[in-house]
Amino acid sequence: MNVLLVAAVVALIHGSYATLLIKGPTQPVLEGESVTLECLYSDSEANISQVHFEKFAEYMQKWLPVRERFWCYNPKPVVQSDRLTLTLPHPGRFNEGSYRCVSNTENVTRSSEPLTFKVYYMGELLLTRAGFTSYLGVSTKLKVRLGDEVVLKCSAGSSEEPTYYWSKDGDDWILPSSTLTLRKMTAADEGQYTCVAEHPSVETLSKKRTISIAVLPEDARWYESSDGQLILMISAAAAALLVFLLSMSVFLCRRAKQAKTSKGPIDDRSQKKPIYKTSVESLPSTCADKQPLV
């Protein structure tokens, strides 16, 4: 009995001094690359079944347990022989942050040192033109009139502000800016222009977009340019919408008129035949005459 008691005390003391550790990525994590986190004790004999992962929520400023949520791509942690693993198959910007391992055993809470990793990402490069809505974007081929001014800007959503620069095929100049301004276009300004966005921390993260600019001759009609084609497209859409609204108005008016004219007079049978006292449709009366009431 004493031997068992001593063994239990030794195991308790031994387990209480076991350190809870967390392992994870030590290098930059790119968006979409698989990430695996591990919880384990410094002593492999400690019980790992009471351990769970927690993530620090920045918006709430507190630690929250990591649970299985398909919309956040958080899979369920898996208990192995001596460790607890959590695999993020497609980590995104919402998965980055601080993680830790927490153990709740014998009413004693212990936690590991937090592990923080950042997810580096860069979205698609968006090309817009000054004076036009960004929702329409810019075509890969731009036709402008002689003497027009063209202002192009490229942008990309990224974990860090990218570095932009413009270049032209066949020329050796490089413009370190996200905005390209071409004033009073001439035939010499025609060509292929390329915008490149590079991530400042990860060299492999870069995006580029190329646009072809053509200058129309002086005798070109206004609708041959990209601006003229855009105006025609918007005008056609507005005209189609106006025709649709007018057609619906005419249809609803005709339907309302037909519904109004289809109603006949009220069928008042009291105006077609007299009502006698002894009839079913008679009214209570104290008179005993047999003359019609109406």
Side-chain angles (χ1 to χ4, degrees):
M1 183 66 181
N2 293 333
V3 176
L4 294 177
L5 181 60
V6 172
V9 172
V10 172
L12 179 61
I13 295 175
H14 190 268
S16 62
Y17 283 99
T19 304
L20 191 58
L21 306 174
I22 183 172
K23 292 184 178 181
T26 57
Q27 297 180 351
V29 177
L30 299 182
E31 188 177 30
E33 291 185 352
S34 178
V35 173
T36 300
L37 304 178
E38 295 182 345
C39 290
L40 66 159
Y41 281 106
S42 58
D43 182 4
S44 60
E45 296 180 358
N47 185 10
I48 199 69
S49 61
Q50 301 297 325
V51 178
H52 64 273
F53 286 97
E54 287 187 352
K55 185 179 184 298
F56 186 73
E58 294 288 345
Y59 63 96
M60 299 180 64
Q61 289 297 304
K62 68 177 183 179
W63 291 92
L64 297 177
V66 176
R67 304 186 185 277
E68 186 177 6
R69 296 176 295 176
F70 67 92
W71 59 88
C72 291
Y73 303 100
N74 286 342
K76 185 177 180 180
V78 178
V79 178
Q80 297 182 356
S81 58
D82 61 342
R83 64 193 61 202
L84 178 70
T85 62
L86 175 66
T87 301
L88 305 175
H90 305 285
R93 63 198 70 177
F94 299 106
N95 298 116
E96 65 180 12
S98 299
Y99 291 79
R100 71 177 183 178
C101 301
V102 179
S103 173
N104 295 322
T105 57
E106 301 295 336
N107 296 325
V108 177
T109 301
R110 288 181 295 176
S111 61
S112 66
E113 292 294 327
L115 171 68
T116 302
F117 68 89
K118 185 176 182 180
V119 178
Y120 294 91
Y121 63 91
M122 178 180 289
E124 293 298 325
L125 195 60
L126 177 64
L127 195 61
T128 57
R129 184 179 176 187
F132 296 84
T133 176
S134 59
Y135 295 102
L136 296 176
V138 179
S139 175
T140 55
K141 294 182 179 180
L142 185 63
K143 297 179 181 180
V144 299
R145 304 180 67 181
L146 192 66
D148 285 353
E149 179 178 282
V150 177
V151 180
L152 300 174
K153 184 176 182 180
C154 53
S155 60
S158 176
S159 55
E160 298 178 13
E161 182 63 24
T163 301
Y164 301 95
Y165 63 86
W166 283 90
S167 63
K168 181 184 178 182
D169 292 355
D171 292 355
D172 56 356
W173 58 265
I174 294 179
L175 177 64
S177 174
S178 62
T179 303
L180 173 67
T181 302
L182 301 174
R183 304 182 186 278
K184 295 182 179 181
M185 294 288 296
T186 62
D189 296 322
E190 290 185 331
Q192 303 279 341
Y193 293 84
T194 302
C195 176
V196 178
E198 295 181 348
H199 197 282
S201 301
V202 184
E203 296 181 356
T204 57
L205 279 181
S206 64
K207 302 288 183 178
K208 68 178 182 178
R209 181 83 179 271
T210 301
I211 183 173
S212 175
I213 301 180
V215 180
L216 299 176
E218 294 183 3
D219 57 349
R221 300 184 182 275
W222 67 271
Y223 53 81
E224 295 181 11
S225 65
S226 299
D227 296 351
Q229 293 175 1
L230 180 61
I231 295 174
L232 287 177
M233 182 180 65
I234 296 176
S235 301
L241 180 60
L242 180 60
V243 171
F244 173 76
L245 293 177
L246 290 177
S247 301
M248 288 298 298
S249 299
V250 172
F251 171 76
L252 293 176
C253 290
R254 289 182 177 179
R255 185 173 181 181
K257 186 177 180 180
Q258 291 176 358
K260 185 177 179 180
T261 55
S262 62
K263 295 181 180 179
I266 299 176
D267 186 11
D268 189 1
R269 293 189 297 174
S270 63
Q271 302 295 329
K272 297 180 180 179
K273 64 180 180 178
I275 301 176
Y276 294 90
K277 179 180 178 181
T278 57
S279 66
V280 179
E281 300 177 355
S282 63
L283 299 175
S285 176
T286 56
C287 301
D289 58 356
K290 296 183 180 180
Q291 296 298 324
L293 298 178
V294 293

